[in-house]
Amino acid sequence: MAKTDSRSGPTRRTVLEGGVATGVLLATGIPVHGEPADTVTAADSPTPVPTMPMSLRINAKDFAVELDPRTTLLDALRNHLGLTGSKKGCDHGQCGACTVLVDGRRINSCLTLAAMHEGDEITTVEGLAEGDRLHPVQAAFVARDGFQCGYCTPGQICSAVGMLGEARAGWPSHASADVAAASIALTDAEIRERMSGNICRCAAYPNIVAAIRDAAEGA
């Protein structure tokens, strides 16, 4: 004679089966307990994102935009102004693909808010050339084949332009033999150290260094 389970109430098996069945219903959008699947309450309605007007000066042109105040400079450039030369690589300031110049100094545009740069002169890779004449650093990258896939190249070029300005101003680096020297000799070691914040996943570093050295010697 077969044994019967004399226990009353839910068992562990029935609880697990019920939980799985409910999960399947929710995942497929089938109403549970008779509630319509498309019911939307006031609490479910998306909250409007507040925006603010901004005026940004980029590549010697003025742009009036209305942005979420949390918008990064990189996202403003790429997603709102169509300046897609600056690339989003890591979005954590670790790869340098998003490097732009602000008042001549290089920064990671993924780590700064667009709202912080009203009144600043922002230069992206699109603003370096003068008409059809490439910036000397751009021309050197072409001549030295200082790229492969090209994804990091805009950031490399903007960073190199800023770095050359720092060297001309006498800013030392960790590789500088004499931090008190009036002028900086841009050796390969100096260039590598100063460009260490820009990653090239294709490992075109020897040609990048050569291109920057050529631009420095021609300046």
Side-chain angles (χ1 to χ4, degrees):
M1 181 176 180
K3 295 179 65 177
T4 60
D5 192 343
S6 61
R7 291 176 296 178
S8 61
T11 65
R12 181 173 180 271
R13 181 184 183 87
T14 59
V15 169
L16 290 174
E17 289 174 343
V20 171
T22 302
V24 170
L25 292 174
L26 292 174
T28 56
I30 299 174
V32 181
H33 302 310
E35 181 182 350
D38 58 352
T39 299
V40 178
T41 65
D44 297 325
S45 301
T47 304
V49 177
T51 61
M52 61 179 288
M54 302 180 200
S55 178
L56 299 174
R57 185 163 178 79
I58 305 168
N59 300 331
K61 295 180 181 178
D62 294 316
F63 295 87
V65 290
E66 186 90 16
L67 299 174
D68 181 333
R70 299 167 297 178
T71 303
T72 64
L73 179 57
L74 176 60
D75 285 342
L77 293 170
R78 291 184 56 82
N79 301 337
H80 298 276
L81 297 172
L83 295 169
T84 56
S86 306
K87 297 297 188 285
K88 180 174 285 194
C90 65
D91 214 22
H92 287 80
Q94 297 177 348
C95 72
C98 68
T99 305
V100 299
L101 301 171
V102 174
D103 293 333
R105 295 182 61 176
R106 52 182 173 162
I107 68 166
N108 292 323
S109 60
C110 73
L111 292 184
T112 187
L113 299 177
M116 298 170 61
H117 296 287
E118 287 193 289
D120 291 343
E121 186 69 45
I122 302 164
T123 304
T124 70
V125 70
E126 292 94 339
L128 291 176
E130 296 181 4
D132 293 333
R133 187 165 66 90
L134 294 178
H135 186 281
V137 174
Q138 291 176 308
F141 266 70
V142 173
R144 286 287 190 171
D145 198 21
F147 47 84
Q148 287 190 34
C149 78
Y151 192 84
C152 74
T153 306
Q156 297 275 2
I157 289 173
C158 284
S159 188
V161 172
M163 181 273 283
L164 292 174
E166 295 164 6
R168 285 194 297 270
W171 294 11
S173 78
H174 181 71
S176 300
D178 182 2
V179 297
S183 61
I184 303 294
L186 282 179
T187 63
D188 287 1
E190 274 282 356
I191 294 172
R192 285 194 295 267
E193 169 63 25
R194 291 170 182 267
M195 293 293 295
S196 59
N198 289 79
I199 295 173
C200 174
R201 291 176 175 85
C202 299
Y205 297 115
N207 293 14
I208 291 171
V209 170
I212 295 172
R213 186 176 60 245
D214 287 353
E217 292 171 352

